[in-house]
Amino acid sequence: MAINVTNTSAADPLSRHQILSWVNESLQSNYVKIEELCTGAAYCQFMDMLFPGTLSMKKVKFTSKLEHEYIQNFKLLQAAFTKMQVDQNVEVQKLVKGRYQDNFEFVQWFKKFFDANHDGREYDALSRRDYQELGGSAKKGSARQPAAVAPRPKPIVQNIVRVPPQGETVVEYSRVVPQVRPARSAGTKASPSRTAGGDSLKVQELTQQLEDLKGTVDGLEKERDFYFGKLRDIEVLCQDESESPAIKGILDVLYATEEGFTAPDEGGEIEGVADEQEEY
């Protein structure tokens, strides 16, 4: 039987980066965004780590890309929860949509649940899932094969016999004739050279790095909005009870600014920006 925890049973919540680091180190996975946990595969393997035998690892869809496969994984998780008497509602329909806040709140709870039940035993995550890749950045397919290089044509050696006028010695010599490749027709597609192939690979790597950075920025923006909303709720509650000394102290912390910070005017324009707009 598992040890049950609640969402408020631990102190400070972990950040997005701390959560992803914990998941990737524990499962030897490649998650780069919280939203990727919507497949449910990571939670299934965590349950296999905590309570071996509670679910069949062969039924888990580790490389799932479709929503109905995500649902199947969460059904396995719910069955394992029931078996171990875990009192936690799993809102499957919300989680499989891949929204940041829903998945972030659930993985925060699961981390507390993991810490309460993990006994520290060694666990080979890769072998338990038959070395399948886990995480959105994992790429399917075999390694890139080097492009075949066309063989260089061999030179043709011609034996030439010059027939001299009557009475002179016959002279025989050889001449090397270079073989010329046939001209490529206009409709034939040119094969990329080694240099072009290298440039193409570099472009793909840079494109992938750009996509990863975009994903990181998107996650940070969602995390910022999430915590801003929490602070805004606290502010509204404090304003209703602003006469209390303790509440005033909280409001002072909320409204405190760092040295050198200038709040924008009521019109929303920041000094310097408005001047530039007037010039145009």
Side-chain angles (χ1 to χ4, degrees):
M1 179 173 155
I3 300 174
N4 285 288
V5 298
T6 62
N7 288 331
T8 58
S9 62
D12 298 330
L14 298 178
S15 68
R16 178 180 65 90
H17 296 288
Q18 291 173 318
I19 287 291
L20 290 175
S21 178
W22 163 67
V23 173
N24 289 331
E25 289 177 4
S26 301
L27 302 182
Q28 301 178 52
S29 54
N30 304 289
Y31 288 104
V32 295
K33 296 192 295 184
I34 293 294
E35 293 91 325
E36 294 170 8
L37 295 172
C38 69
T39 66
Y43 301 119
C44 289
Q45 184 153 25
F46 273 127
M47 288 298 291
D48 181 70
M49 180 189 300
L50 295 173
F51 313 105
T54 54
L55 53 79
S56 174
M57 292 291 285
K58 293 183 178 179
K59 294 181 179 180
V60 180
K61 307 292 185 181
F62 288 103
T63 57
S64 57
K65 298 295 181 183
L66 301 174
E67 188 172 308
H68 73 273
E69 294 177 331
Y70 304 167
I71 295 175
Q72 180 63 32
N73 286 341
F74 277 108
K75 285 183 178 179
L76 293 173
L77 179 66
Q78 287 177 313
F81 277 6
T82 301
K83 189 174 184 179
M84 299 307 300
Q85 300 181 18
V86 179
D87 299 331
Q88 175 65 24
N89 181 35
V90 182
E91 297 182 336
V92 178
Q93 294 302 326
K94 288 186 177 181
L95 294 173
V96 298
K97 297 301 181 182
R99 287 189 290 265
Y100 173 82
Q101 185 169 341
D102 295 328
N103 284 274
F104 187 65
E105 290 178 353
F106 185 76
V107 74
Q108 287 278 5
W109 169 84
F110 197 93
K111 177 63 168 67
K112 299 169 190 175
F113 173 78
F114 178 90
D115 291 341
N117 289 274
H118 189 227
D119 57 5
R121 76 180 70 179
E122 293 186 1
Y123 182 81
D124 190 346
L126 280 175
S127 64
R128 285 294 296 159
R129 64 174 183 265
D130 293 330
Y131 299 93
Q132 298 182 72
E133 295 290 351
L134 182 61
S137 62
K139 304 297 180 186
K140 294 183 180 180
S142 58
R144 180 182 297 274
Q145 300 271 346
V149 179
R152 180 176 297 179
K154 297 180 178 180
I156 300 175
V157 179
Q158 295 180 347
N159 291 326
I160 301 173
V161 179
R162 183 174 65 84
V163 181
Q166 188 176 2
E168 295 185 9
T169 304
V170 176
V171 179
E172 180 177 355
Y173 62 93
S174 299
R175 183 178 67 174
V176 178
V177 180
Q179 184 176 355
V180 180
R181 294 181 181 177
R184 187 185 296 115
S185 62
T188 304
K189 186 177 180 180
S191 60
S193 63
R194 292 184 179 180
T195 303
D199 292 342
S200 177
L201 180 59
K202 187 65 175 178
V203 170
Q204 291 179 5
E205 293 176 354
L206 293 174
T207 302
Q208 182 60 41
Q209 292 178 13
L210 181 60
E211 291 298 325
D212 292 342
L213 289 174
K214 288 181 178 178
T216 301
V217 171
D218 183 59
L220 289 173
E221 289 179 347
K222 290 180 179 179
E223 188 173 357
R224 176 203 62 194
D225 295 341
F226 171 74
Y227 286 113
F228 178 80
K230 296 290 185 183
L231 290 173
R232 177 57 182 158
D233 293 340
I234 294 172
E235 180 186 21
V236 172
L237 291 174
C238 290
Q239 287 175 344
D240 294 338
E241 303 290 338
S242 59
E243 297 301 325
S244 170
I247 297 300
K248 287 183 178 179
I250 295 174
L251 290 174
D252 289 341
V253 173
L254 286 176
Y255 296 146
T257 58
E258 295 182 0
E259 184 178 355
F261 175 80
T262 303
D265 298 334
E266 294 182 357
E269 293 182 349
I270 299 175
E271 184 179 355
V273 176
D275 295 338
E276 292 180 2
Q277 292 176 348
E278 290 178 0
E279 291 180 3
Y280 290 98

